Amino acid sequence: NAGVTQTPKFQVLKTGQSMTLQCAQDMNHNSMYWYRQDPGMGLRLIYYSASEGTTDKGEVPNGYNVSRLNKREFSLRLESAAPSQTSVYFCASRLTLADNQPQHFGDGTRLSIL
Amino acid sequence: RKEVEQDPGPFNVPEGATVAFNCTYSNSASQSFFWYRQDCRKEPKLLMSVYSSGNEDGRFTAQLNRASQYISLLIRDSKLSDSATYLCVVTQGNNFNKFYFGSGTKLNVKP
C-alpha cells in the first residue's frame, strides 16, 4: 500500500549544489504536483503535471525544474541550490476522472541548504 | 490579498467540546473545496471534501457558502487525537488541476 513515495526523506546541501527529488505513485493517478511548505505558511505549488507529457508552473517555480518521466514518476530538480530553498517538499498525485478528486501526498523531503 | 485565508489559532479546547473553523477564499470561480489535516512534521491527509449542500462524516461537518466565499469545518465531541493543524484547500478558479492551500488552523484538544 505504498501510495506516493518520495526519496530522499532528508538531505543537506551546500549552496550551489544540485539535487533531484524523486516522487513515484502507484495509484495510476493522472496528475502529479510538487509543493514546498515553509514555517507558518501553507503549501505553495512549485510545478504540476496534469497528465503524462505535460508540465506547468505553479506559484513559485523559480530555481526549479521538473520532469514527468512517465505516468508514475515526477521529479523535481534544483540546479543550483540556494538557502532560500530550505524547506519541506511534498509530492502529491490525483486522479482526474472527476473534478472534485482530492490530492494524496507523500511524506515529504526535508531539505536544508547551507 | 491571499487566495485562501484561515485564522492560524491556536484553538485550545477541552475534550468533548465543539469547535468550528472558517476559511475564506478570494476567487469566486473556485469549484472544489477540501479540508486536510496535518500532524506535526507529517504530510497533509484528506479529512473531507466539501460539497455545495454541506456534508457530514461522523463528528465532522463541512459547509460551503458561495455567496460569502467561505467554507467551514465543525468538529463535535472533540478528542485528544483531533489535535492537529487543519488546512483549507481550494481550486484555483475553474482550473481543477491547481490548488491553493491556507496556512492552517491549529487545534489543541486538552484533557
Side-chain angles (χ1 to χ4, degrees):
Chain A
N1 226 15
V4 179
T5 302
Q6 291 184 234
T7 55
K9 299 278 189 284
F10 303 92
Q11 186 70 48
V12 178
L13 293 177
K14 294 181 179 178
T15 297
Q17 287 186 313
S18 61
M19 158 137 207
T20 299
L21 279 59
Q22 307 286 353
C23 175
Q25 52 90 12
D26 62 2
M27 297 177 283
N28 202 34
H29 285 176
N30 312 86
S31 299
M32 297 185 74
Y33 306 80
W34 276 106
Y35 291 91
R36 61 179 287 175
Q37 186 175 32
D38 301 300
M41 301 184 74
L43 278 74
R44 292 183 291 168
L45 183 63
I46 304 171
Y47 271 94
Y48 70 102
S49 172
S51 60
E52 188 178 355
T54 69
T55 60
D56 284 286
K57 294 179 180 179
E59 300 170 72
V60 289
N62 291 344
Y64 304 95
N65 286 302
V66 290
S67 295
R68 183 75 184 264
L69 304 169
N70 47 55
K71 191 171 185 179
R72 290 187 63 247
E73 298 172 286
F74 188 39
S75 62
L76 178 72
R77 182 159 178 86
L78 287 70
E79 290 291 352
S80 179
S84 61
Q85 294 178 305
T86 293
S87 190
V88 181
Y89 291 84
F90 289 105
C91 177
S93 70
R94 175 174 169 263
L95 186 64
T96 52
L97 288 181
D99 294 334
N100 62 349
Q101 292 291 316
Q103 298 169 91
H104 299 265
F105 286 84
D107 54 10
T109 295
R110 282 160 180 77
L111 184 61
S112 293
I113 318 289
L114 305 178
Chain B
R1 182 184 174 188
K2 288 184 181 178
E3 297 288 340
V4 178
E5 299 210 53
Q6 295 183 251
D7 181 343
F11 285 61
N12 298 308
V13 303
E15 269 187 294
T18 296
V19 62
F21 312 134
N22 280 345
C23 162
T24 58
Y25 61 95
S26 62
N27 192 328
S28 61
S30 294
Q31 296 293 326
S32 294
F33 308 88
F34 307 91
W35 283 104
Y36 277 75
R37 169 197 170 121
Q38 187 173 29
D39 293 295
C40 188
R41 300 182 67 79
K42 298 285 191 181
E43 76 274 21
K45 292 185 177 176
L46 178 69
L47 180 65
M48 58 197 303
S49 301
V50 184
Y51 301 118
S52 297
S53 55
N55 48 298
E56 189 174 303
D57 183 1
R59 298 181 292 108
F60 300 87
T61 300
Q63 301 245 319
L64 167 64
N65 185 317
R66 286 192 184 274
S68 300
Q69 292 180 210
Y70 74 85
I71 65 173
S72 63
L73 177 68
L74 180 78
I75 305 175
R76 289 181 299 278
D77 189 23
S78 299
K79 311 291 185 194
L80 295 176
S81 58
D82 293 334
S83 296
T85 296
Y86 291 83
L87 306 175
C88 167
V89 183
V90 175
T91 49
Q92 183 188 10
N94 54 11
N95 184 339
F96 292 98
N97 283 309
K98 293 181 76 170
F99 298 82
Y100 284 118
F101 282 72
S103 302
T105 297
K106 187 166 176 56
L107 172 65
N108 295 319
V109 181
K110 311 279 189 186

